[in-house]
Amino acid sequence: GRDYTYSQPLRASNLSEGEHTLTYYAIDKLGNKEEQKTYQFFVDKSAPRVISEVIGNTFIANGKEYFSGKTKLKLVAIDNKAGVKDIQFSINDGDYQAYTGPFLLSQAGDLDIDVITTDKVNNKKTIEKISDKSKTQSYVDLSGPTLTTRFTGPAFVLGDTTYLNEKSKIVLKGTDSE
């Protein structure tokens, strides 16, 4: 390496990401030189990456991935060196909140999750619109289907009881707007 006279603090921002070794020594006014010393360090400029995992039931149809009200979202951040400091998330452009563990997807309708990750040296990354692996729009469905019944053929109702014979048919119909 090349010798430089120290005149101001060294800026890590001027160094590339990775391992570095600083070799230094002092010389007094009489020209006495101390023994050379080294300091090894790592410059970390990369923010953590986030992986999302769905815990629970999902169903994909017509370009949307549907989550039930029992579905949870798990976020895992991975950092290259310094370690993860925190994860914050926002649901549908709401306030950011600290991630402490898998959380229920409790708002019905289209679902957009934004995440901010920070490592221990304050590299920060905003990931907008976390999506699942299929790259579909996510949607939370909190209501179950509606089931209706009707009878065809002979049927007779007396009080709270319906009487049918062998020619009667029971028709069940389930509907779900989502």
Side-chain angles (χ1 to χ4, degrees):
R2 190 171 159 204
D3 286 352
Y4 295 95
T5 301
Y6 179 79
S7 60
Q8 63 186 14
L10 302 173
R11 300 179 75 64
S13 62
N14 294 334
L15 300 172
S16 61
E17 182 169 53
E19 297 283 345
H20 294 274
T21 302
L22 175 66
T23 304
Y24 60 97
Y25 57 89
I27 302 174
D28 68 15
K29 292 184 180 188
L30 297 174
N32 296 314
K33 179 179 171 183
E34 75 170 322
E35 189 176 315
Q36 230 175 238
K37 298 175 185 162
T38 60
Y39 177 71
Q40 294 184 328
F41 60 97
F42 187 93
V43 175
D44 181 358
K45 295 182 177 184
S46 298
R49 293 180 327 146
V50 172
I51 299 168
S52 61
E53 177 185 347
V54 175
I55 302 170
N57 300 329
T58 67
F59 178 76
I60 297 176
N62 302 321
K64 283 192 179 187
E65 181 175 24
Y66 293 87
F67 299 97
S68 78
K70 296 178 183 175
T71 302
K72 290 184 178 183
L73 187 65
K74 178 180 179 181
L75 301 174
V76 177
I78 301 166
D79 191 57
N80 67 327
K81 197 69 173 176
V84 177
K85 179 178 174 183
D86 66 19
I87 305 171
Q88 297 180 12
F89 68 96
S90 166
I91 300 174
N92 294 338
D93 297 321
D95 292 337
Y96 277 89
Q97 51 193 302
Y99 176 79
T100 57
F103 55 93
L104 285 172
L105 302 172
S106 57
Q107 293 180 353
D110 288 339
L111 177 68
D112 288 313
I113 307 281
D114 297 338
V115 177
I116 297 174
T117 59
T118 308
D119 70 9
K120 291 180 181 174
V121 291
N122 291 325
N123 291 312
K124 184 183 277 191
K125 182 174 186 180
T126 302
I127 298 128
E128 295 181 0
K129 312 304 181 223
I130 277 198
S131 63
D132 63 287
K133 294 179 180 89
S134 64
K135 304 295 182 214
T136 58
Q137 171 66 47
S138 298
Y139 188 91
V140 179
D141 180 2
L142 297 178
S143 61
T146 303
L147 182 64
T148 57
T149 59
R150 67 180 176 86
F151 305 104
T152 61
F156 172 70
V157 178
L158 181 61
D160 63 353
T161 304
T162 301
Y163 296 92
L164 307 173
N165 71 19
E166 69 275 357
K167 294 182 181 179
S168 303
K169 293 183 181 177
I170 303 171
V171 179
L172 302 173
K173 183 179 179 185
T175 56
D176 190 334
S177 60
E178 282 101 12

